[in-house]
Amino acid sequence: MNNKDYYKTLGVPKNASKEEIKKAFHTLAKKYHPDRGVGGDETKFKEVSEAYRTLSDTKKRAEYDAYGHVFSGGGGSPFEDFARGFGAQGFSHGAGGVEWDLGDIFGDIFGTQSSRRAQARRGRDISIDLSVSFKEAVFGREKTILLAKTVACDTCSGSGREEDAGVLKCQKCNGQGQVRETRNSILGVITSVRDCSGCEGEGSIPKKKCLECSGLGVLKRQEEIKVSVPFGIRDGEVIRLSGMGEAIRKGTAGDLYIKVHVENHELFKREGDNLIMELSVKLSDAVLGSEYSITTLEGPALSVKIPSGITISEVLRIRGRGVPKDASAAHRGDLLIKLKVELPKKLSRKAKKIFEELRSEGV
């Protein structure tokens, strides 16, 4: 007696239509197929195939509904049922029994040959490091770097053949660009499709190879690349140059990723869009007030008034002298000047007497 619940196996109700049963089998067969890798399960695959073989046949289903098992014998293998569940796509009978073309059946799961080939026709990405000065990071600058990489051949424009030489049909794949291979497995004879190694999936080969690149379409050389370092870039940020990575024949070049390292400045530091610097002032200037000349990041000296009676750690703010907030540099952060009052290490007798008098007055 067969006590298996085929409806439960397929996850459908007992009044499910043939189309619903077929759809459920289609989903589960893909999920449990042994060749799927992660998630594949041969035992469950056979169970859903057995359930579908019974419920998709009107006579067998009637017997199963009435008696819980099927009296009629014969029928196809679970793999034939699997193919029938997919509308016989990628399935045929050969001298070796059942033959599968997994490239057709599982194209939507694993990706078709054409989609994989399209993805493969993209050059490798390149990552490099670039050091810039503090000033270059704040105001931006165009830098030129020398990079050794694979580039398209100028002589043949990346075709790999001599100009006007034409092409020949690839004999290895008979111009198809793909070759089929068969092997035996638990499913029977499996046919797989891959790109032809003779023509790299193109179906043709050059009549005469380019002498400069030996028919590769690309070659290795040093290339000067201009990089526009944007204003206000921060340490560790990455600049992406699309299409400036490794080239590949009849494909798209990869991208170039440039990680920026900002060098420290001896005078200035950055805090958001503001620049910060320290300024040492004499004790007398802090008490009485004075005027100091400071060097800005742009270069020209700037006169700064020190108000009388400042505290030791007071901060002066000069607006519009910080990091630019837009390309026009019309809007900028501020320059923050942290004042550092210098206390005298040694006092003359006269100076000491003056301080003693000040102390007696409560200063």
Side-chain angles (χ1 to χ4, degrees):
M1 180 71 70
N2 186 355
N3 294 320
K4 295 180 180 179
D5 188 337
Y6 290 146
Y7 293 103
K8 186 176 181 181
T9 299
L10 294 180
V12 296
K14 290 189 176 182
N15 61 349
S17 65
K18 280 191 174 183
E19 189 60 35
E20 289 173 328
I21 292 172
K22 180 178 178 181
K23 185 177 180 181
F25 170 70
H26 184 283
T27 301
L28 293 173
K30 283 184 178 181
K31 180 179 179 181
Y32 296 126
H33 193 281
D35 273 17
R36 182 178 179 87
V38 178
D41 190 318
E42 183 180 355
T43 300
K44 290 184 177 180
F45 174 75
K46 289 181 178 179
E47 289 177 358
V48 297
S49 296
E50 180 184 334
Y52 177 73
R53 183 171 65 251
T54 299
L55 300 184
S56 62
D57 185 287
T58 304
K59 182 180 178 182
K60 290 180 181 180
R61 183 178 181 182
E63 291 176 358
Y64 174 76
D65 289 342
Y67 306 106
H69 64 282
V70 177
F71 293 99
S72 57
S77 71
F79 308 121
E80 290 172 320
D81 296 324
F82 177 61
R84 187 168 66 252
F86 280 92
Q89 182 183 14
F91 169 83
S92 64
H93 288 276
V98 182
E99 182 177 326
W100 298 81
D101 189 340
L102 296 180
D104 292 333
I105 293 176
F106 292 105
D108 57 338
I109 301 177
F110 303 108
T112 62
Q113 288 289 330
S114 59
S115 67
R116 287 198 295 272
R117 187 163 61 249
Q119 292 174 359
R121 292 211 174 277
R122 184 179 185 277
R124 186 173 62 90
D125 293 336
I126 302 175
S127 298
I128 64 171
D129 296 289
L130 176 65
S131 292
V132 299
S133 69
F134 188 88
K135 183 176 179 179
E136 289 170 338
V138 171
F139 297 110
R141 184 181 176 182
E142 186 174 79
K143 303 275 285 186
T144 300
I145 59 176
L146 191 62
L147 184 63
K149 64 170 186 169
T150 301
V151 298
C153 177
D154 293 331
T155 304
C156 64
S157 300
S159 67
R161 59 183 174 84
E162 289 189 11
E163 189 177 1
D164 301 326
V167 296
L168 296 171
K169 183 171 72 173
C170 177
Q171 298 301 313
K172 192 169 184 178
C173 64
N174 197 31
Q176 298 301 309
Q178 296 178 338
V179 291
R180 290 176 175 264
E181 295 178 342
T182 58
R183 62 183 176 86
N184 293 322
S185 75
I186 61 172
L187 303 178
V189 180
I190 293 182
T191 301
S192 61
V193 182
R194 62 174 177 81
D195 285 349
C196 174
S197 59
C199 62
E200 296 182 353
E202 296 178 15
S204 61
I205 58 176
K207 286 183 178 180
K208 291 183 180 180
K209 292 182 179 180
C210 172
L211 298 178
E212 181 69 20
C213 64
S214 301
L216 298 176
V218 294
L219 42 82
K220 199 86 171 181
R221 74 178 182 197
Q222 287 191 327
E223 186 175 61
E224 281 192 352
I225 299 176
K226 293 187 181 298
V227 181
S228 294
V229 178
F231 66 91
I233 195 166
R234 299 176 184 274
D235 182 65
E237 288 189 330
V238 176
I239 300 172
R240 175 176 172 265
L241 299 182
S242 180
M244 297 302 291
E246 299 272 12
I248 188 171
R249 185 164 71 96
K250 292 189 177 181
T252 304
D255 298 335
L256 174 60
Y257 293 87
I258 305 170
K259 187 174 183 178
V260 177
H261 300 276
V262 181
E263 298 171 355
N264 293 327
H265 196 279
E266 59 182 4
L267 182 62
F268 296 98
K269 291 183 179 181
R270 180 175 176 178
E271 189 177 273
D273 292 328
N274 296 328
L275 294 177
I276 301 175
M277 65 171 290
E278 283 190 351
L279 179 62
S280 295
V281 298
K282 295 178 181 179
L283 178 58
S284 57
D285 292 335
V287 174
L288 303 175
S290 183
E291 191 168 320
Y292 278 69
S293 179
I294 64 171
T295 301
T296 61
L297 193 59
E298 294 96 321
L302 182 67
S303 181
V304 178
K305 289 186 177 181
I306 308 300
S308 60
I310 61 168
T311 57
I312 293 179
S313 59
E314 191 163 339
V315 177
L316 300 181
R317 181 185 296 269
I318 301 179
R319 299 193 179 279
R321 289 286 185 167
V323 181
K325 296 182 179 180
D326 54 45
S328 66
H331 302 91
R332 295 172 57 176
D334 302 330
L335 172 60
L336 305 179
I337 305 173
K338 292 184 177 180
L339 300 179
K340 183 179 179 181
V341 179
E342 293 181 343
L343 298 177
K345 295 180 180 179
K346 291 184 179 181
L347 293 174
S348 65
R349 289 183 179 180
K350 183 179 180 180
K352 188 176 181 179
K353 184 179 180 180
I354 293 173
F355 273 103
E356 288 175 348
E357 291 177 354
L358 291 173
R359 183 168 61 181
S360 65
E361 294 182 9
V363 177

